[in-house]
Amino acid sequence: MTDKDGLPIRVSGANRRFAARVALDGVDLEVRPGEIAALIGPNGSGKTTLLKLVAGFLRPDSGEVRVFGLDPARERPAVMRRTRFAFAPPALFEALTAREHLVHLVGIGGGRAKASEIERALETVGLADRADERVRAFSFGMRQRLALAQALVPVPELIVLDEPTDGLDPLAVLELREVLRRLRDEHGTAVLLSSHLLVEVEELVDRLLVLHEGRELFGGSPAELLRETGAPTLERALLARLREVAGRSSS
Amino acid sequence: MIVRLEALRLLRSRRPLVAAGSLALFLALMLVGFYTYAQSETRGDAEFRYTFENSSYFNGLTFALYAFYFGSLLILPIFAATEGGAQLAGDTASGVLKLVLARPVSRVRLFFAKATLAAVFISLLVGLFLALALGLGLVAVGWGDLDLYPGVLQMTDHHQHLPQSTAMVRFLLAWPAASIALFTPLALAFLVSAFSRSPVNAVGTAVALYLVLYVVAEIHFFRELRPWLFTSHLAYWRGLFREEVDWIAIGRDAAKCLGFTALFLGLALRRFRKREETS
C-alpha cells in the first residue's frame, strides 16, 4: 500500500520510549526526492532511534513512519529494495574481503551487481587498492568508507547514513560531501544523515532537523533557521535555540 | 545468495577447525582411556580386550561405537549449542544482523538460511566424528565383528552380535539418525539465541539447559518426566546396533526429536520476527 505522497521519508508525531526514558517525543520529519536532510543533535538526542524507526528496526509507540509510503516495520524488504542504510559504528563481515563484502551484500535479496559497479563504489570511497584485503585488518576510517560503499551499490533512491563522518579525516569528509552531492544531483537520490556536528554538514543540507533530548528543536531549511534566529551563522543560530530551551527549562 | 554468504562466513571462521580439532582430541583421549584401562586390567600386558562391560570382545568398531555414544551425547551437543547460539545472538552483538536486515531479505528467509546451514554443519561434524572414530579404531585396534553386552551404557539388554559388514551399514545409518537427534539442542540454542543479544550468554544458557535436562532425563527419580524431555530421546540411534532393529521405535523417536526441533525453531522464529533491533 502506498500513501498519496510516497515521499522517501515521512515521519509524523513519532513517539518512542525505552522504559522510563523518552527517546523521541512527537517528532516530525519529511525528506523529499533529491533532497539532503540532516539530523543534528548531541549524543542521546534521539537521532539513531529515529533512524532505526525509519529502517523498521524499531516501531513507534505512537505516530507514523513511512518510507516511500510503506511501513518499514511491516514492509521492510520492500523498503530496502529502494533504500540503503549505513549504521554507526560500521558493522562488517570481518572474514570477507572488501570486494566480497559488496558482492555478497548486493546479492542478498536476489540483486546482482556488475563488477564495474563494485569497482566504482570502491574507487569512490578510496578503497580500490585494498579491495582484496580482509575487512578484519581495516582501520575504523576504512571501515567507515566500506560501510558507505555498500550503501552505494546499486545506487538507491534513498540513502540513510548514521554519523557518516565519524572516524574520517578532513579530506575524506570533503570527499563524502562530494559523493552525496553527486548522488543528489546525478541520480536524484534523497539523503538522510545524522551528525552531532552541524559544521560538518551545514554546507551540504537542504533541510535540518535538530533534536534535543528526543524533542524537535528546529525543523526546516538552514535559511529558515538563520531567518528565525537572526544569527549570522548556523552554528550561532543553533546555539541561540539551545539557550532558549535551557532558559525555558530553568525557569 | 544469503546461504552462500553464511556458508562463506562459516568456512572463514575458526569454528569448523576448532570443532574438528576438539573432536580429534576427544577421540585420542578416549583411545588413551581404553588403553590405560586395558593396561591396568591386564597388569601391564596392554591388550585392547576390555571395556566397561566385558573383557572378551573389544575392537575398533567397539571403540568407535563407545566414542560415538559419549561424543553424541556430551560433546557434539555442545558444538550444536555453540553453533545455534552464535547465529542470531552473535550477529546481533557484532551488528551485522542490522547490516543484513538493511537489505531486501525477509527475517523468515534469513532465519531458515541460518538454521539450514547450522544443521548441515552439525551433520558434517557428526559424519566427521564417526569417520575419525572408525578410522582411529581401525588403525589403533583393528576391526572385527561387533559384539555388545548389557552394561552401564545401556547399549543393549542382552548380547548382540553384528557381523562387520552389517555393523558398518548400521554406523552409516547412525550418521543421519544422530544428526537428527542433535538438531534438537541446535534448535534449542536458536531459541535462546533469539532472546539474547550476547552470544556468550546464549551459548552458556543453551549448554546449561541441555546439561540440566540431560541429567534429569538420566535420573530414575524423574522417570515420569522423561517422555516430555527431548534429552530422553537423543540416544535413540543406539537401537540401530541390534541384530533385529525395531524400525518403528527408531522412527517414533526420530519423529519426537524432529517434533522438538520444529517446536523450538517455531518459537525462535516467532520471537525473531517480532523482536526489535534496539542495540
Side-chain angles (χ1 to χ4, degrees):
Chain A
M1 191 198 303
T2 304
D3 71 358
K4 61 182 189 302
D5 52 24
L7 289 177
I9 297 176
R10 188 169 56 75
V11 178
S12 320
N15 289 290
R16 176 68 203 216
R17 297 175 80 95
F18 292 103
R21 189 174 71 81
V22 177
L24 286 177
D25 187 2
V27 170
D28 298 313
L29 170 69
E30 274 189 10
V31 180
R32 299 190 177 115
E35 188 173 70
I36 299 181
L39 296 178
I40 304 293
N43 291 334
S45 58
K47 301 188 300 292
T48 301
T49 300
L50 183 52
L51 295 188
K52 284 182 179 168
L53 288 178
V54 172
F57 295 162
L58 298 177
R59 296 176 197 90
D61 294 332
S62 61
E64 193 177 65
V65 179
R66 291 288 180 269
V67 179
F68 296 112
L70 303 165
D71 177 353
R74 287 169 171 272
E75 299 157 290
R76 188 182 43 76
V79 166
M80 296 306 177
R81 275 188 203 102
R82 304 169 70 178
T83 314
R84 294 285 167 270
F85 282 83
F87 280 97
L92 304 166
F93 300 119
E94 303 289 329
L96 271 56
T97 67
R99 192 189 308 280
E100 288 171 338
H101 198 88
L102 298 189
V103 169
H104 283 92
L105 268 179
V106 173
I108 293 174
R112 180 175 277 187
K114 291 179 191 154
S116 57
E117 275 184 289
I118 301 278
E119 209 58 45
R120 192 167 56 237
L122 288 166
E123 270 171 24
T124 301
V125 299
L127 285 177
D129 55 339
R130 313 288 293 268
D132 296 310
E133 287 181 28
R134 296 255 175 114
V135 171
R136 187 176 288 136
F138 280 14
S139 67
F140 186 86
M142 290 163 70
R143 298 168 72 87
Q144 188 75 288
R145 287 160 181 256
L146 185 57
L148 176 64
Q150 65 85 22
L152 300 178
V153 197
V155 173
E157 292 173 63
L158 168 66
I159 185 166
V160 181
L161 306 171
D162 188 11
E163 308 278 3
T165 54
D166 264 12
L168 295 186
D169 55 63
L171 184 63
V173 173
L174 286 175
E175 285 169 358
L176 171 68
R177 286 185 202 146
E178 193 47 44
V179 168
L180 296 181
R181 271 197 200 101
R182 278 211 312 269
L183 280 173
R184 176 187 60 187
D185 299 341
E186 294 172 15
H187 300 278
T189 301
V191 178
L192 174 63
L193 55 89
S194 74
S195 177
H196 49 263
L197 294 175
L198 179 61
V199 67
E200 287 187 340
V201 294
E202 63 182 346
E203 289 175 24
L204 188 67
V205 298
D206 306 306
R207 186 184 291 261
L208 275 175
L209 175 64
V210 183
L211 293 174
H212 181 69
E213 294 178 350
R215 292 199 182 89
E216 192 178 313
L217 205 59
F218 171 79
S221 69
E224 282 170 346
L225 180 59
L226 290 174
R227 198 166 50 242
E228 280 182 20
T229 57
T233 63
L234 277 178
E235 206 169 3
R236 289 198 178 191
L238 195 56
L239 209 59
R241 271 292 158 98
L242 278 168
R243 282 190 183 130
E244 272 177 43
V245 172
R248 277 204 298 271
S249 301
S250 60
S251 65
Chain B
M1 195 65 176
I2 186 77
V3 175
R4 274 175 59 190
L5 170 64
E6 293 294 329
L8 186 62
R9 290 177 65 202
L10 176 64
L11 286 173
R12 294 267 176 90
S13 74
R14 292 183 187 148
R15 297 205 302 276
L17 210 59
V18 169
S22 305
L23 293 179
L25 179 67
F26 174 73
L27 285 169
L29 289 173
M30 281 285 289
L31 194 65
V32 170
F34 274 109
Y35 180 80
T36 52
Y37 182 75
Q39 204 168 38
S40 70
E41 291 294 305
T42 57
R43 298 176 194 280
D45 196 18
E47 285 183 38
F48 281 116
R49 291 193 297 115
Y50 294 89
T51 66
F52 299 104
E53 282 98 0
N54 198 286
S55 62
S56 62
Y57 71 99
F58 191 80
N59 64 26
L61 294 187
T62 332
F63 167 76
L65 183 58
Y66 277 45
F68 191 58
Y69 176 81
F70 287 118
S72 71
L73 291 180
L74 296 173
I75 308 297
L76 287 165
I78 292 174
F79 288 114
T82 306
E83 193 56 30
Q87 294 293 335
L88 303 177
D91 280 4
T92 304
S94 68
V96 296
L97 186 64
K98 280 191 292 185
L99 184 69
V100 174
L101 290 176
R103 292 279 163 175
V105 61
S106 73
R107 283 178 182 255
V108 176
R109 203 162 152 209
L110 176 63
F111 182 89
F112 280 111
K114 284 180 171 293
T116 304
L117 195 74
V120 170
F121 177 58
I122 291 302
S123 301
L124 291 175
L125 271 190
V126 173
L128 175 73
F129 187 67
L130 257 181
L132 282 176
L134 286 167
L136 194 61
L138 173 66
V139 171
V141 192
W143 288 355
D145 292 347
L146 182 64
D147 282 285
L148 293 175
Y149 291 88
V152 290
L153 298 186
Q154 301 168 23
M155 286 282 190
T156 176
D157 52 8
H158 61 279
H159 173 231
Q160 305 280 340
H161 175 85
L162 298 177
Q164 182 177 302
S165 58
T166 307
M168 291 306 292
V169 172
R170 303 294 170 81
F171 272 112
L172 199 63
L173 292 173
W175 178 8
S179 299
I180 286 171
L182 283 162
F183 292 163
T184 324
L186 177 70
L188 176 69
F190 259 85
L191 177 57
V192 175
S193 189
F195 281 89
S196 175
R197 299 188 185 278
S198 153
V200 176
N201 288 348
V203 171
T205 306
V207 170
L209 269 174
Y210 172 77
L211 291 177
V212 167
L213 294 177
Y214 176 73
V215 169
V216 167
E218 290 297 307
I219 296 174
H220 183 68
F221 182 73
F222 293 109
R223 67 179 186 276
E224 296 298 322
L225 284 178
R226 278 181 190 163
W228 305 100
L229 301 174
F230 74 87
T231 42
S232 307
H233 310 288
L234 295 188
Y236 78 93
W237 55 267
R238 286 180 302 188
L240 292 166
F241 293 92
R242 303 277 189 281
E243 290 163 11
E244 295 294 327
V245 177
D246 182 351
W247 293 107
I248 291 173
I250 295 269
R252 191 179 56 227
D253 279 337
K256 283 180 186 171
C257 287
L258 287 173
F260 276 110
T261 300
L263 174 69
F264 293 150
L265 283 182
L267 292 172
L269 178 60
R270 182 185 154 87
R271 164 70 183 163
F272 183 58
R273 285 183 70 189
K274 286 180 180 283
R275 80 177 197 181
E276 295 186 315
E277 303 307 325
T278 52
S279 54

